[in-house]
Amino acid sequence: MEPIKKKNNMIILGLGHFVPEDVLTNKQLEQMVDTTDEWITTRTGIKARRIAKKGVACSDLAYNASQNALDNAKLDPIDITHIIVGTFTSDYCAPATACILQAKLGSKKCEMAIDIAAGCSGFTYGLELARGIIANKPEAKVLVVGSEVCTSRLNFKDRNTCVLFGDGAGAAILTGHREGYPHVIDIELKTIGELGHLLMVGLEGGSAEPFVVGQRVSEKYFAHMKGREVFKHAVRNMTEISERILKKNNLTSQDVDLFIPHQANYRIIEAVAKKINLPMEKVFVNVHKYGNTSAASIILALSEAYSYGKIQKGDLVLLATFGAGFTVASVIIKF
Ligand code: UT7
């Protein structure tokens, strides 16, 4: 029997991003928790992060980023057939943020709208779902979003986590092959559930430990991380999955024009770039401005890099993500 050939036929019609206007600086955090600007800067590279105002939900940031992507793609919300939202800070348990976004956009021809919980790899895992949809329905217009109000799940008394994360969103619209558009060449994924306990959110409030009426939220509701352990796995796995996708596509790091890794920590970014042999001039970094925006991180960085003119037609861009799960992914895009 002939082996089934994988279809690499997905193109990007438009990219968009959005961040809330309020800035929380390291200096301001010094007033809130036992930390210093010097510690945060040297250990993470983060100088500031954006924070959503009270009452602004994941779907609101997703809406703004999606509108930006629609404008850039010169499309109308009615054109969208599928919506996938990667997030760990959904508006509610149900309905899905993707359904709320569909209603806010007025995408009345949308067939399917779902959320995916893949931590910081939510956007890249969403791209893989989009690839599957488009392989079956090349005419589909799939909106893939990474959106997070991380600050809704931070304990601002825990210096180990509250200095690291910020809020934001990014979006991409994808469809089947057309000439002259950025082309998603390949996607590689990996899941390491055995290590999930190293980065957890919501140790209470889920079905494992449900709330009862009147119960007060404790620190268990917020993000918990064994930072040093996560750091090591992030470097090891983003390196491995970047090398794997390059090798599989008969490419080397010499062929990469821009590397956009998950924006969690400047030291992680630097270590991965060094291991895969890429000079920092070829690496896009915005972690200093936004901190770790989880599922929004990679698409916020990709859309920002593109809008700043850092990506030219013909450029080969390599993405790598790592997040709670653990979830790991790499993507190659030819612009
Ligand atoms: O998005 C998912 C992926 N997430 C990540 O990739 C994050 C991965 N981890 C990291 O980025 C780093 O491990 C951290 C930034 C979280 C921590 O950096 P580190 O160099 O690994 O520090 P550490 O955990 O080894 O902690 C060093 C010290 C500790 O004090 P002791 O035990 O040595 O006395 C911490 O209590 O730094 C202390 N510390 C702080 N001090 C001032 C931890 N957080 C803070 C803080 N300010 N905010």
Side-chain angles (χ1 to χ4, degrees):
M1 202 169 84
E2 275 276 291
I4 297 167
K5 289 207 180 80
K6 203 161 74 179
K7 294 177 188 167
N8 289 322
N9 58 359
M10 186 164 77
I11 59 111
I12 301 173
L13 287 168
L15 297 170
H17 63 276
F18 177 79
V19 287
E21 62 182 352
D22 291 353
V23 178
L24 179 64
T25 63
N26 292 350
K27 282 278 168 207
Q28 288 169 299
L29 276 164
E30 285 181 358
Q31 311 303 314
M32 299 162 70
V33 71
D34 181 17
T35 192
T36 59
D37 174 36
E38 202 261 334
W39 190 95
I40 304 170
T41 306
T42 54
R43 299 291 178 123
T44 72
I46 301 167
K47 294 298 287 181
R49 67 287 294 142
R50 298 299 179 95
I51 52 168
K53 286 190 198 317
K54 199 166 183 285
V56 171
C58 177
S59 63
D60 297 315
L61 303 188
Y63 174 82
N64 284 301
S66 301
Q67 281 292 1
N68 186 216
L70 285 161
D71 290 346
N72 290 333
K74 298 186 175 55
L75 288 175
D76 192 88
I78 204 78
D79 299 319
I80 298 299
T81 58
H82 299 72
I83 300 177
I84 299 165
V85 177
T87 188
F88 82 95
T89 54
S90 49
D91 294 21
Y92 311 106
C93 278
T97 299
C99 294
I100 298 169
L101 177 61
Q102 179 263 326
K104 284 186 177 172
L105 287 170
S107 295
K108 290 197 183 297
K109 288 193 185 153
C110 183
E111 297 169 24
M112 180 191 98
I114 54 161
D115 290 357
I116 49 172
C120 305
S121 301
F123 177 81
T124 42
Y125 273 42
L127 279 186
E128 178 73 330
L129 290 185
R131 188 158 71 148
I133 292 163
I134 287 166
N136 283 320
K137 296 183 175 180
E139 72 288 357
K141 303 231 170 24
V142 186
L143 171 64
V144 183
V145 182
S147 182
E148 302 281 15
V149 183
C150 293
T151 52
S152 68
R153 284 299 191 123
L154 293 180
N155 173 3
F156 279 94
K157 292 194 165 83
D158 176 12
R159 69 177 184 175
N160 291 297
T161 51
C162 76
V163 304
L164 303 175
F165 296 90
D167 303 335
I173 302 167
L174 303 122
T175 194
H177 181 76
R178 287 181 194 182
E179 292 301 327
Y181 287 86
H183 182 180
V184 178
I185 305 259
D186 205 0
I187 302 171
E188 277 288 297
L189 306 167
K190 180 180 175 183
T191 302
I192 321 166
E194 310 81 76
L195 297 174
H197 59 280
L198 295 174
L199 173 49
M200 292 185 80
V201 185
L203 291 165
E204 71 183 12
S207 58
E209 208 176 299
F211 284 135
V212 293
V213 176
Q215 182 181 335
R216 290 183 61 176
V217 169
S218 82
E219 68 277 359
K220 288 168 79 181
Y221 178 73
F222 300 99
H224 288 78
M225 176 165 60
K226 297 246 185 323
R228 209 177 300 179
E229 290 297 304
V230 176
F231 189 110
K232 280 189 285 188
H233 290 291
V235 172
R236 188 178 305 151
N237 283 287
M238 280 203 287
T239 301
E240 188 266 333
I241 205 143
S242 299
E243 286 172 341
R244 191 186 339 151
I245 199 169
L246 288 173
K247 191 165 176 217
K248 188 175 152 212
N249 288 281
N250 296 318
L251 296 164
T252 71
S253 55
Q254 302 282 308
D255 299 305
V256 175
D257 296 295
L258 191 67
F259 177 43
I260 308 181
H262 173 46
Q263 307 283 312
N265 183 321
Y266 187 78
R267 286 158 55 220
I268 295 177
I269 295 171
E270 221 177 11
V272 176
K274 192 168 176 210
K275 281 178 187 286
I276 63 172
N277 234 346
L278 274 168
M280 285 307 285
E281 303 86 76
K282 285 192 170 190
V283 183
F284 185 78
V285 178
N286 64 9
V287 71
H288 54 291
K289 294 193 296 184
Y290 305 131
N292 182 348
T293 58
S294 185
S297 158
I298 201 81
I299 178 60
L300 174 55
L302 175 64
S303 176
E304 200 175 75
Y306 189 69
S307 68
Y308 287 176
K310 301 260 179 209
I311 302 171
Q312 301 301 320
K313 198 165 172 52
D315 279 357
L316 194 87
V317 175
L318 172 66
L319 312 180
T321 65
F322 179 86
F326 291 139
T327 56
V328 196
S330 55
V331 182
I332 295 176
I333 305 169
K334 179 87 174 164
F335 274 80

